[in-house]
Amino acid sequence: MNEQIVPDSERKSISGGLVARLPQLPRDLAQLARFDRPIGWWLLFWPCVFGVWLAGAGAQFALLGWLLLGAIAMRGAGCVYNDIVDADLDRKVARTAARPVASGRVSKRTAWIWLLTLCLVGLVVLLQLRIEAQIVALASLALVAAYPFMKRITWWPQAWLGMVFNWGLLVGWTQLRLDNWAALACIYAGCVAWVIGYDTIYALQDREDDALVGIRSSALRMGSRVHAGVAGFYAATIALWALGVWLYRPDALALLALLPVALHLAWQVATLDPDDPANPLARFRSNRWAGALMAAACFVVGNAGA
């Protein structure tokens, strides 16, 4: 596999560079938890920030620090669980065949121990939250457990991933307030549409292999209409976010806070090239900046006039 075309880690990132310097077993465990691919925990963390900053309680840096640690640990745990469940499928896909469990470098027993270790870190974070937020966080476990099986039974596993990856929005919100559920529901639904859009872009890398081994994805379902499909889900993202902002703060000026993230998502669609192996991965990774722009919008909307 040409790693320059479909890299399995962000070699130029700080975390990717540190992982590459580790001895074999720690390096395999770090790769199993995707510590060399920080885009995943960024995308899990940003919805936590949305919920905290939209709640209008200020920056809340201490809370965000705990949620960041939880995002890194639980994203890692989710990846380990996914690789345990998908080991047989991963061996059949060129991009994933070298993963630690699929390749046999890490046994499933060791992977389970590593999974439990990461969950203990998540438990420490959970105990920092108030009881309502703890209950909301624990409610996500059923969704997380079911996710690896979705690609076997539906063409839209990205929709399930959207529900899982944005649960931190609900946790961050309920840590600080317990009202205005209609606005929160719209923001959450918009986040789900955002994930369907960006994970469809990510799935473009594996279309051929997925089709051969029977894995289903929105990228395969959309086929030649993938541009229109991603554009539609991103348009739904902005529309739902705008509705949520309006329900939270019915002020036309508040909607302008969404303009930067809307332009960024439009750029992704306009420059997406499914036939260039490097392009979908770059557009997918750019969603860390989409998350940052949406977080800034939530801070402005939530704290304006506070």
Side-chain angles (χ1 to χ4, degrees):
M1 179 179 63
N2 187 336
E3 291 187 338
Q4 291 182 334
I5 293 178
V6 188
D8 196 47
S9 62
E10 296 188 44
R11 308 267 182 210
K12 294 182 180 180
S13 70
I14 294 175
S15 58
L18 291 175
V19 168
R21 294 181 176 89
L22 293 173
Q24 186 65 51
L25 180 58
R27 181 165 70 249
D28 286 337
L29 294 178
Q31 290 179 341
L32 190 56
R34 310 293 197 274
F35 291 160
D36 57 333
R37 299 169 65 184
I39 180 59
W41 54 257
W42 274 117
L43 293 175
L44 193 61
F45 173 61
W46 280 129
C48 300
V49 183
F50 301 168
V52 170
W53 281 357
L54 191 63
Q60 294 286 329
F61 288 128
L63 173 59
L64 291 179
W66 283 113
L67 293 175
L68 175 59
L69 177 61
I72 295 171
M74 296 316 295
R75 185 265 187 151
C79 289
V80 175
Y81 174 68
N82 186 80
D83 282 11
I84 292 171
V85 172
D86 281 352
D88 292 339
L89 288 176
D90 284 346
R91 293 187 189 102
K92 301 175 183 178
V93 176
R95 187 177 58 83
T96 59
R99 286 178 175 173
V101 175
S103 66
R105 297 196 312 275
V106 173
S107 69
K108 287 191 175 181
R109 179 177 180 274
T110 301
W112 277 111
I113 293 171
W114 182 220
L115 170 61
L116 292 174
T117 301
L118 291 167
C119 287
L120 286 175
V121 177
L123 177 61
V124 171
V125 175
L126 184 71
L127 294 175
Q128 310 308 310
L129 305 177
R130 69 174 179 170
I131 186 65
E132 293 87 352
Q134 290 178 7
I135 293 171
V136 170
L138 290 172
S140 71
L141 294 180
L143 293 173
V144 173
Y147 169 67
F149 302 98
M150 291 299 108
K151 63 175 72 78
R152 295 168 170 84
I153 63 176
T154 176
W155 288 103
W156 299 97
Q158 284 73 21
W160 198 273
L161 182 69
M163 292 188 288
V164 172
F165 248 57
N166 293 297
W167 207 260
L169 170 73
L170 310 181
V171 175
W173 179 270
T174 53
Q175 175 65 15
L176 296 170
R177 57 191 298 174
L178 299 170
D179 63 344
N180 214 335
W181 299 111
L184 186 66
C186 290
I187 299 295
Y188 179 73
C191 288
V192 173
W194 176 41
V195 172
I196 296 173
Y198 73 59
D199 204 57
T200 297
I201 292 174
Y202 184 77
L204 288 172
Q205 301 174 92
D206 296 331
R207 282 181 299 177
E208 291 79 9
D209 286 335
D210 285 352
L212 287 173
V213 302
I215 295 175
R216 301 179 181 185
S217 76
S218 55
L220 286 173
R221 189 64 171 173
M222 292 180 193
S224 61
R225 299 185 297 276
V226 70
H227 260 109
V230 172
F233 280 110
Y234 277 174
T237 298
I238 297 302
L240 287 163
W241 282 348
L243 178 58
V245 166
W246 185 262
L247 291 173
Y248 183 87
R249 187 181 297 280
D251 180 351
L253 290 178
L255 296 177
L256 290 178
L258 295 172
L259 182 59
V261 66
L263 291 174
H264 178 86
L265 295 181
W267 168 82
Q268 285 188 39
V269 174
T271 60
L272 178 63
D273 183 358
D275 298 320
D276 177 358
N279 178 278
L281 183 61
R283 295 301 171 274
F284 165 73
R285 285 179 174 167
S286 74
N287 280 282
R288 76 184 71 193
W289 301 113
L293 292 170
M294 179 56 181
C298 288
F299 187 83
V300 170
V301 173
N303 294 277

